[in-house]
Amino acid sequence: GDSVTQMEGPVTLSEEAFLTINCTYTATGYPSLFWYVQYPGEGLQLLLKATKADDKGSNKGFEATYRKETTSFHLEKGSVQVSDSAVYFCALSSYSSASKIIFGSGTRLSIRP
Amino acid sequence: EPEVTQTPSHQVTQMGQEVILRCVPISNHLYFYWYRQILGQKVEFLVSFYNNEISEKSEIFDDQFSVERPDGSNFTLKIRSTKLEDSAMYFCASIPGQAANYGYTFGSGTRLTVV
């Protein structure tokens, strides 16, 4: 079945560092790919999405490019802030999974001032 | 921006008691979902609901669970006889149609603690 694998956390960086959180997926067909963010004590917020190969999703300085050839959707940000500390979930949705969202295990990111 | 609303934000219940978690999806959305997240773990699919019936459910969603859309606006998850392992965050979500490219709108969740 469809699945998402993302890098284990926690990830700890200093403010203004470059961030990459790796995500790869397995799916039949052509899934849509998402990154969700969960700030401490809050719910799940859609951060960005890409719905076809080579699309780049972006929001709040974060970017991720849908790479079909490597089945990846890595999250990047050029300069992180303390306020970016959260748990980040990579996810996919496809018709073969009946459009339900399948989440990766989440990566906890902590940013030091 | 439209929101999915969940109540209560936190519920504490004794083992064996029934609980009902409530959700108000976005008004023009047609597909509704419940997910759960055991503390610090993965977000897991429970059930999807469309046209007043369950369209898919996971292995977690056993006979102790049920969902209902009682009045055209609320969407509820009932756990008939709670167990300690039901302690988790429960998230409701909705989308306008069955298209894989929709990003779900999630509610802020209900933290269920079974003691």
Coordinates of all heavy atoms in Angstrom, one line a residue, chain B residues 54-103:
Chain B
I54 N -20.2 5.5 6.1 CA -18.8 5.3 6.2 C -18.3 4.8 4.8 O -18.9 3.9 4.2 CB -18.4 4.2 7.2 CG1 -18.7 4.8 8.6 CG2 -17.0 3.8 7.1 CD1 -18.5 3.8 9.7
S55 N -17.3 5.5 4.3 CA -16.7 5.0 3.0 C -15.5 4.2 3.1 O -15.2 3.3 2.3 CB -16.4 6.2 2.1 OG -15.7 7.2 2.8
E56 N -14.8 4.4 4.2 CA -13.6 3.5 4.5 C -13.3 3.6 6.0 O -13.5 4.6 6.6 CB -12.4 4.0 3.7 CG -11.2 3.0 3.8 CD -10.0 3.4 2.9 OE1 -10.2 4.4 2.1 OE2 -9.0 2.8 3.1
K57 N -12.8 2.5 6.6 CA -12.4 2.6 7.9 C -11.1 1.7 8.1 O -10.9 0.8 7.3 CB -13.5 2.1 8.9 CG -13.9 0.6 8.6 CD -15.1 0.3 9.5 CE -15.5 -1.1 9.3 NZ -16.7 -1.5 10.1
S58 N -10.3 2.0 9.1 CA -9.1 1.3 9.3 C -9.3 0.2 10.3 O -10.4 0.1 10.9 CB -8.0 2.3 9.9 OG -8.3 2.6 11.2
E59 N -8.3 -0.6 10.5 CA -8.3 -1.7 11.5 C -8.6 -1.2 12.9 O -9.1 -1.9 13.8 CB -7.1 -2.5 11.5 CG -6.9 -3.3 10.2 CD -5.5 -4.0 10.1 OE1 -4.7 -3.8 11.0 OE2 -5.3 -4.7 9.1
I60 N -8.1 0.1 13.2 CA -8.3 0.6 14.5 C -9.8 0.8 14.8 O -10.3 0.7 15.9 CB -7.6 2.0 14.6 CG1 -6.1 1.8 14.3 CG2 -7.8 2.6 16.0 CD1 -5.4 3.2 14.0
F61 N -10.5 1.1 13.8 CA -12.0 1.5 13.9 C -12.8 0.2 14.1 O -13.4 -0.2 13.1 CB -12.4 2.3 12.7 CG -13.7 3.0 12.9 CD1 -13.7 4.3 13.4 CD2 -14.9 2.5 12.5 CE1 -14.9 5.0 13.5 CE2 -16.1 3.1 12.6 CZ -16.1 4.4 13.1
D62 N -12.8 -0.3 15.3 CA -13.5 -1.5 15.5 C -14.9 -1.2 16.0 O -15.4 -0.1 15.9 CB -12.7 -2.4 16.5 CG -12.5 -1.8 17.9 OD1 -13.3 -0.8 18.2 OD2 -11.6 -2.2 18.6
D63 N -15.6 -2.3 16.5 CA -17.0 -2.1 16.9 C -17.2 -1.1 18.1 O -18.3 -0.7 18.3 CB -17.5 -3.5 17.3 CG -17.6 -4.4 16.2 OD1 -17.6 -3.9 15.0 OD2 -17.8 -5.6 16.4
Q64 N -16.1 -0.7 18.7 CA -16.3 0.2 19.8 C -16.4 1.7 19.3 O -16.8 2.6 20.0 CB -15.0 0.2 20.7 CG -14.9 -1.1 21.5 CD -16.1 -1.3 22.4 OE1 -16.5 -0.5 23.2 NE2 -16.7 -2.5 22.3
F65 N -16.1 1.9 18.0 CA -16.2 3.2 17.4 C -17.4 3.3 16.5 O -17.8 2.3 15.9 CB -14.9 3.4 16.6 CG -13.7 3.6 17.3 CD1 -12.9 2.5 17.7 CD2 -13.2 4.9 17.7 CE1 -11.7 2.6 18.4 CE2 -12.0 5.0 18.4 CZ -11.3 3.9 18.8
S66 N -18.0 4.5 16.5 CA -19.0 4.8 15.5 C -19.0 6.3 15.2 O -18.4 7.1 15.9 CB -20.4 4.4 16.0 OG -20.7 5.2 17.2
V67 N -19.5 6.6 14.0 CA -19.5 8.0 13.6 C -21.0 8.3 13.1 O -21.7 7.4 12.7 CB -18.5 8.3 12.4 CG1 -17.1 8.3 12.9 CG2 -18.7 7.4 11.2
E68 N -21.3 9.6 13.2 CA -22.6 10.0 12.8 C -22.6 11.5 12.4 O -21.8 12.2 12.9 CB -23.5 9.8 14.1 CG -25.0 9.9 13.8 CD -25.8 9.6 15.1 OE1 -25.3 10.1 16.2 OE2 -26.8 9.0 15.0
R69 N -23.5 11.8 11.5 CA -23.7 13.2 11.2 C -25.2 13.5 11.5 O -26.1 13.4 10.7 CB -23.4 13.4 9.7 CG -23.4 14.8 9.3 CD -22.5 14.9 8.0 NE -22.8 16.2 7.3 CZ -22.3 17.3 7.6 NH1 -21.6 17.5 8.7 NH2 -22.6 18.4 6.9
P70 N -25.5 13.8 12.8 CA -26.8 13.8 13.3 C -27.8 14.9 12.7 O -29.0 14.7 12.6 CB -26.7 13.9 14.8 CG -25.3 14.6 14.9 CD -24.5 14.1 13.8
D71 N -27.2 16.0 12.3 CA -28.0 17.1 12.0 C -27.6 17.9 10.8 O -28.0 19.1 10.6 CB -28.1 18.0 13.2 CG -26.8 18.5 13.7 OD1 -25.8 18.3 12.9 OD2 -26.7 19.1 14.8
G72 N -26.7 17.4 10.0 CA -26.3 18.1 8.8 C -25.2 19.1 9.0 O -24.6 19.6 8.1
S73 N -24.8 19.3 10.3 CA -23.6 20.2 10.5 C -22.6 19.5 11.4 O -21.4 19.6 11.1 CB -24.1 21.5 11.1 OG -24.7 21.4 12.3
N74 N -23.0 18.8 12.4 CA -22.1 18.2 13.3 C -21.7 16.8 12.7 O -22.4 16.2 12.0 CB -22.7 17.9 14.7 CG -22.9 19.2 15.4 OD1 -21.9 19.8 15.9 ND2 -24.1 19.8 15.5
F75 N -20.5 16.4 13.1 CA -19.9 15.1 12.7 C -19.3 14.5 14.0 O -18.4 15.1 14.5 CB -18.9 15.3 11.6 CG -18.2 14.0 11.1 CD1 -19.0 12.9 10.8 CD2 -16.9 14.0 11.0 CE1 -18.4 11.7 10.4 CE2 -16.2 12.8 10.5 CZ -17.0 11.7 10.2
T76 N -19.8 13.4 14.5 CA -19.4 13.0 15.8 C -18.7 11.6 15.7 O -19.0 10.8 14.8 CB -20.6 12.8 16.8 OG1 -21.5 11.9 16.2 CG2 -21.3 14.2 17.0
L77 N -17.7 11.4 16.6 CA -17.1 10.2 16.8 C -17.4 9.7 18.2 O -17.2 10.4 19.2 CB -15.6 10.3 16.7 CG -14.7 9.1 17.0 CD1 -14.9 8.0 15.9 CD2 -13.2 9.4 17.1
K78 N -18.0 8.5 18.3 CA -18.4 7.9 19.6 C -17.5 6.7 19.9 O -17.3 5.9 19.0 CB -19.8 7.5 19.6 CG -20.3 6.9 21.0 CD -21.6 6.2 20.9 CE -22.7 7.1 20.6 NZ -24.1 6.4 20.7
I79 N -16.9 6.7 21.1 CA -16.2 5.5 21.5 C -17.1 4.9 22.7 O -17.3 5.6 23.7 CB -14.8 5.8 22.1 CG1 -14.0 6.6 21.0 CG2 -14.1 4.5 22.4 CD1 -12.7 7.1 21.5
R80 N -17.6 3.7 22.4 CA -18.6 3.1 23.3 C -18.1 2.8 24.7 O -18.8 3.1 25.7 CB -19.2 1.9 22.6 CG -20.5 1.5 23.1 CD -21.1 0.2 22.4 NE -20.5 0.0 21.1 CZ -20.9 0.4 20.0 NH1 -22.0 1.2 19.9 NH2 -20.3 0.1 18.8
S81 N -17.0 2.2 24.8 CA -16.4 1.8 26.1 C -14.9 2.0 26.0 O -14.2 1.2 25.5 CB -16.8 0.3 26.3 OG -16.2 -0.2 27.5
T82 N -14.5 3.1 26.6 CA -13.1 3.6 26.4 C -12.1 2.7 27.1 O -12.4 2.1 28.2 CB -13.0 5.0 26.8 OG1 -13.5 5.1 28.2 CG2 -13.6 6.0 25.9
K83 N -11.0 2.5 26.5 CA -9.9 1.8 27.0 C -8.7 2.7 27.2 O -8.7 3.8 26.6 CB -9.4 0.6 26.1 CG -10.6 -0.3 25.8 CD -10.0 -1.5 25.0 CE -9.8 -1.2 23.5 NZ -11.1 -1.1 22.8
L84 N -7.8 2.3 28.1 CA -6.6 3.2 28.3 C -5.9 3.6 27.1 O -5.5 4.7 26.9 CB -5.6 2.5 29.3 CG -6.1 2.3 30.7 CD1 -5.1 1.5 31.5 CD2 -6.5 3.6 31.4
E85 N -5.8 2.6 26.1 CA -5.1 2.8 24.9 C -5.8 3.7 23.9 O -5.3 4.0 22.8 CB -4.7 1.5 24.2 CG -5.9 0.6 24.0 CD -6.0 -0.5 25.1 OE1 -5.8 -0.1 26.3 OE2 -6.4 -1.6 24.8
D86 N -7.0 4.1 24.2 CA -7.7 5.1 23.4 C -7.3 6.6 23.7 O -7.7 7.5 23.0 CB -9.3 5.0 23.6 CG -9.8 3.7 23.2 OD1 -9.3 3.2 22.1 OD2 -10.8 3.3 23.8
S87 N -6.5 6.7 24.7 CA -5.9 8.0 25.0 C -5.1 8.5 23.9 O -4.1 7.9 23.5 CB -5.1 8.0 26.3 OG -5.8 7.6 27.4
A88 N -5.5 9.7 23.3 CA -4.8 10.2 22.1 C -5.4 11.6 21.8 O -6.4 12.0 22.4 CB -5.0 9.3 20.9
M89 N -4.8 12.2 20.8 CA -5.4 13.4 20.2 C -6.3 12.9 19.0 O -5.8 12.1 18.2 CB -4.4 14.4 19.6 CG -3.8 15.2 20.7 SD -4.9 16.5 21.3 CE -4.9 17.6 19.9
Y90 N -7.5 13.4 18.9 CA -8.4 13.0 17.8 C -8.6 14.2 17.0 O -9.0 15.3 17.5 CB -9.7 12.4 18.4 CG -9.5 11.1 19.0 CD1 -9.0 10.9 20.3 CD2 -9.8 9.9 18.2 CE1 -8.8 9.7 20.8 CE2 -9.6 8.6 18.8 CZ -9.1 8.5 20.1 OH -8.9 7.3 20.6
F91 N -8.3 14.1 15.7 CA -8.5 15.2 14.7 C -9.6 14.9 13.7 O -9.7 13.8 13.2 CB -7.2 15.4 14.0 CG -6.1 15.9 14.8 CD1 -5.0 15.1 15.2 CD2 -6.0 17.2 15.2 CE1 -4.0 15.5 15.9 CE2 -5.0 17.7 16.0 CZ -3.9 16.8 16.4
C92 N -10.4 15.8 13.5 CA -11.4 15.8 12.5 C -10.9 16.6 11.3 O -10.2 17.6 11.4 CB -12.7 16.4 13.0 SG -14.0 16.6 11.8
A93 N -11.3 16.2 10.1 CA -10.9 16.9 8.9 C -12.0 16.8 7.9 O -12.9 15.9 7.9 CB -9.6 16.3 8.3
S94 N -12.0 17.8 6.9 CA -13.0 17.8 5.9 C -12.4 18.3 4.6 O -11.4 19.1 4.6 CB -14.2 18.6 6.2 OG -14.0 20.0 6.3
I95 N -12.9 17.8 3.5 CA -12.6 18.3 2.1 C -13.8 18.5 1.3 O -14.8 17.8 1.5 CB -11.6 17.4 1.4 CG1 -12.1 16.0 1.3 CG2 -10.2 17.5 2.1 CD1 -11.2 15.1 0.5
P96 N -13.7 19.4 0.3 CA -15.0 19.7 -0.5 C -15.4 18.5 -1.4 O -16.6 18.4 -1.7 CB -14.6 20.9 -1.3 CG -13.2 21.2 -1.1 CD -12.6 20.3 -0.1
G97 N -14.4 17.7 -1.9 CA -14.8 16.6 -2.8 C -13.7 15.6 -2.8 O -12.7 15.7 -2.2
Q98 N -14.0 14.5 -3.4 CA -13.0 13.4 -3.4 C -12.0 13.6 -4.5 O -12.0 13.0 -5.5 CB -13.7 12.0 -3.6 CG -12.8 10.9 -3.3 CD -13.4 9.5 -3.6 OE1 -14.3 9.4 -4.4 NE2 -12.8 8.5 -3.1
A99 N -11.1 14.5 -4.2 CA -10.0 14.7 -5.1 C -8.7 14.6 -4.3 O -8.6 15.2 -3.2 CB -10.1 16.0 -5.8
A100 N -7.7 13.8 -4.9 CA -6.5 13.6 -4.1 C -5.7 14.8 -3.9 O -4.8 14.8 -3.0 CB -5.7 12.5 -4.8
N101 N -5.9 15.9 -4.6 CA -5.1 17.1 -4.5 C -5.6 18.1 -3.4 O -5.0 19.1 -3.2 CB -4.9 17.8 -5.8 CG -6.2 18.2 -6.4 OD1 -7.2 17.9 -5.9 ND2 -6.1 19.0 -7.5
Y102 N -6.7 17.7 -2.8 CA -7.1 18.6 -1.7 C -6.3 18.5 -0.5 O -6.0 17.4 -0.1 CB -8.6 18.4 -1.3 CG -9.6 18.8 -2.3 CD1 -10.4 17.8 -2.9 CD2 -9.8 20.1 -2.7 CE1 -11.4 18.2 -3.9 CE2 -10.8 20.5 -3.6 CZ -11.6 19.5 -4.2 OH -12.5 19.9 -5.1
G103 N -5.8 19.6 0.0 CA -5.2 19.5 1.3 C -6.3 19.6 2.4 O -7.2 20.4 2.4

